[in-house]
Amino acid sequence: IILVIIGMALNTLSLHWSALEPLQNFHLTPDLVLFIFLPALIFESGLNLNAHQLIKDIAPVLMLAIPALLFSTAMIGLGIWWLLPLDLHVALLFGALISATDPVAVISLFKELGTPERLTVLIEGESLLNDATAIVVVGILLGITAITGTSTDIALNAISEFFLVFFGGAFIGLIFGFIISWLMTRFSQETSAILILSLVLAYMSFVISEHILHISGVMAVVACSITLGIFGINRLPQDAVEAIHETWGFIAHICNTLLFLFIGMLVDIDSLLSHSLMILLAVLLVQASRASMVYSLVPLTEKIFKLPHITIGERHIMFWGGLKGGLALAIVLALPLDLPGREIVINLTLGVVLFTLLINAPTIRPLIHYLGLDRLSDEESAELKRSLIDARQNANHLLNRFTHYGLLSTANHHVIKKKTEKTLDLWTPEVICGDEFRQLRLNALRAELNELKELFRSGVLKQYVYLDLLAELRRKQDSIITEHRGNTKPQSTPQANYFLRLEETLVKWLREKDWAAGLLSSYQNKRLSSHLMHNIARILMAEAALEQIKKDSTVDKKTVASLMRPIKIILSFSGSN
């Protein structure tokens, strides 16, 4: 927000100060945004996105990214066409480009305040996908004027082109992501090579998709970054992983800084004031369409797909956090120069972008606080209490050592200890008694997760075993948290996995074929090897969980014993096998 204001100030000063006159010759071109800034920003977001949570919430994310954006395009476009002197196809173009969200300021605030991760994934996931949708829709709308035929033919052509461009980009991104992930494992000890490959992946997937294949470059970058996060990052050394995240974080920070500064420099205040009434109408239409989509489609998606509840407070943030940014400006600047009403559309876009940046963004923090979304959850409170108990023990141990070696007098020892305990007591939250048992289970699962990651890093487990067990641990964690939140409906027995059922069918069919005997023998050996790796990993993970439970000093022995009993049964059963 400050960068936008600085850009506006520089633009105004350049008109009256000769030293800044060269700034008047600067123009933020759409190619600069689309081919330099956009791939970097999308790649960094996709790389850091919680892919596990995104897959669980893919239905509402896709609902907001595709149907919601299309409805928003129609609602805003028709409203603008009715209220302002613009042709229908131009009004629809404005509706499409302004419907995409750019939650950079909101996401950075979420990270600072520690809001629920699910809310972050919903808003950031929607933004990643609706950027691609907006670009595709604008391209289709610009091309529709050149299509001849009946309205039915035009509609069918537009729908088929949308699916081809959108999902074609995702498919190409998946392929590039798998290839570069494999190459990175070949250079796992060369951090510089890994960083160069990640840069190549981000820009190569975008440029090849957009320029050569004429499909969605944004979807290609989204797909390849998420693929790299799931299948590539996990197989790299920890120092390489940290280098990738630090490098891309720095690149995204530079791109965001320049982009918002340039947005401010684009603003012509006199022109905006002359179109202020039109801009106000556009802002009201944009906000109304956003509200209607969030408050209707999100709960509908929950019911259809039987998803965990998205609270009304989270929906308020999803509505008010739908900021507009650089993508809208890049698209509007790329519109043909001879497009009727182009200047009006540019001013409307700038006005709406500025409104969301200067009004919506600064008020998100007090709204989050008012809704209580920045408060600690029960799990976080219990974890904080545990950490403070450990901190108290470590502080006492350090004070005793200093006193023992004569570095601290007994009097000062007591003074410091009293002040330390008083400070820690102020921070210690109240935790409900029943929460301690749940927290103990979550701590045990965390110990299992750390052991699993260590086994994978050390090469004991193959990636498919690691990902399988990782998904199993996350399902257990989700189950514990869901039980606590009151979702105590008896769950139906899960059906056998479709892949397992297909596997059983194929094996039964191959058993009847003589020529498949060798193939089946090789397959059964690999399957047995996989089962052994799973069991070995489970034994070591259970041992790590037991050690964690024994170390926990915050829970009574009876509770510890009740939690250790099933783990010991698993260990004894695995040992006998």
Side-chain angles (χ1 to χ4, degrees), residues 299-419:
L300 180 64
T301 308
E302 282 179 22
K303 290 179 181 177
I304 293 173
F305 296 97
K306 296 180 173 58
L307 298 171
H309 180 54
I310 299 170
T311 65
I312 189 66
E314 289 171 336
R315 275 180 264 167
H316 291 334
I317 298 299
M318 291 173 69
F319 156 59
W320 199 243
L323 309 186
K324 316 300 175 183
L327 179 68
L329 293 175
I331 296 174
V332 79
L333 291 173
L335 293 177
L337 295 175
D338 58 350
L339 185 76
R342 183 175 183 270
E343 184 185 350
I344 294 176
V345 173
I346 289 175
N347 279 293
L348 291 180
T349 304
L350 266 172
V352 173
V353 169
L354 280 179
F355 180 89
T356 61
L357 288 176
L358 300 178
I359 304 298
N360 288 44
T363 53
I364 282 284
R365 181 194 291 267
L367 182 59
I368 288 173
H369 184 70
Y370 175 76
L371 296 171
L373 295 177
D374 55 349
R375 294 175 197 150
L376 292 177
S377 66
D378 293 337
E379 290 81 15
E380 291 167 338
S381 295
E383 179 65 18
L384 176 58
K385 183 178 179 181
R386 244 182 65 83
S387 301
L388 290 170
I389 290 171
D390 290 341
R392 191 188 302 270
Q393 291 173 348
N394 291 334
N396 289 336
H397 175 68
L398 191 63
L399 285 172
N400 290 335
R401 282 186 61 199
F402 281 5
T403 306
H404 175 74
Y405 290 115
L407 299 173
L408 196 65
S409 67
T410 305
N412 284 335
H413 175 114
H414 291 304
V415 170
I416 295 173
K417 184 177 180 180
K418 187 176 179 181
K419 286 184 177 180

Side-chain angles (χ1 to χ4, degrees), residues 201-502:
L201 176 61
Y203 287 97
M204 176 184 69
S205 59
F206 188 89
V207 172
I208 290 177
S209 298
E210 284 284 339
H211 270 291
I212 299 175
L213 302 176
H214 303 294
I215 53 181
S216 174
V218 174
M219 275 310 300
V221 177
V222 170
C224 73
S225 62
I226 292 175
T227 303
L228 179 62
I230 295 173
F231 296 102
I233 294 292
N234 291 325
R235 304 168 70 181
L236 299 176
Q238 190 60 31
D239 57 343
V241 174
E242 291 173 359
I244 286 177
H245 285 296
E246 287 176 6
T247 301
W248 277 102
F250 178 73
I251 291 172
H253 186 69
I254 293 295
C255 289
N256 271 320
T257 300
L258 293 174
L259 183 59
F260 285 105
L261 188 66
F262 293 159
I263 287 173
M265 292 172 65
L266 270 177
V267 176
D268 183 344
I269 296 176
D270 292 335
S271 180
L272 289 181
L273 289 174
S274 65
H275 293 85
S276 57
L277 183 58
M278 291 184 180
I279 290 170
L280 180 60
L281 291 172
V283 166
L284 292 174
L285 270 173
V286 169
Q287 298 288 13
S289 70
R290 176 71 181 170
S292 62
M293 295 305 107
V294 168
Y295 293 114
S296 62
L297 285 181
V298 170
L300 180 64
T301 308
E302 282 179 22
K303 290 179 181 177
I304 293 173
F305 296 97
K306 296 180 173 58
L307 298 171
H309 180 54
I310 299 170
T311 65
I312 189 66
E314 289 171 336
R315 275 180 264 167
H316 291 334
I317 298 299
M318 291 173 69
F319 156 59
W320 199 243
L323 309 186
K324 316 300 175 183
L327 179 68
L329 293 175
I331 296 174
V332 79
L333 291 173
L335 293 177
L337 295 175
D338 58 350
L339 185 76
R342 183 175 183 270
E343 184 185 350
I344 294 176
V345 173
I346 289 175
N347 279 293
L348 291 180
T349 304
L350 266 172
V352 173
V353 169
L354 280 179
F355 180 89
T356 61
L357 288 176
L358 300 178
I359 304 298
N360 288 44
T363 53
I364 282 284
R365 181 194 291 267
L367 182 59
I368 288 173
H369 184 70
Y370 175 76
L371 296 171
L373 295 177
D374 55 349
R375 294 175 197 150
L376 292 177
S377 66
D378 293 337
E379 290 81 15
E380 291 167 338
S381 295
E383 179 65 18
L384 176 58
K385 183 178 179 181
R386 244 182 65 83
S387 301
L388 290 170
I389 290 171
D390 290 341
R392 191 188 302 270
Q393 291 173 348
N394 291 334
N396 289 336
H397 175 68
L398 191 63
L399 285 172
N400 290 335
R401 282 186 61 199
F402 281 5
T403 306
H404 175 74
Y405 290 115
L407 299 173
L408 196 65
S409 67
T410 305
N412 284 335
H413 175 114
H414 291 304
V415 170
I416 295 173
K417 184 177 180 180
K418 187 176 179 181
K419 286 184 177 180
T420 303
E421 290 184 349
K422 184 179 179 182
T423 302
L424 292 173
D425 286 339
L426 288 173
W427 282 92
T428 302
E430 290 292 329
V431 179
I432 301 169
C433 185
D435 290 344
E436 294 185 354
F437 180 68
R438 187 181 67 261
Q439 186 60 36
L440 191 60
R441 293 168 67 193
L442 290 171
N443 289 339
L445 279 176
R446 191 178 294 116
E448 290 187 70
L449 178 61
N450 292 335
E451 181 67 17
L452 177 63
K453 288 180 177 177
E454 189 55 41
L455 290 172
F456 179 62
R457 285 197 199 103
S458 57
V460 175
L461 298 181
K462 293 185 177 179
Q463 189 176 35
Y464 68 90
V465 178
Y466 167 74
L467 292 174
D468 188 29
L469 291 172
L470 184 64
E472 186 180 299
L473 285 178
R474 282 174 169 162
R475 282 195 299 271
K476 290 179 181 177
Q477 185 181 46
D478 291 341
S479 175
I480 293 170
I481 294 172
T482 305
E483 286 172 13
H484 163 62
R485 288 176 181 169
N487 190 3
T488 54
K489 282 185 181 179
Q491 296 183 350
S492 57
T493 306
Q495 294 182 342
N497 186 289
Y498 289 112
F499 292 105
L500 292 178
R501 288 156 67 186
L502 177 62

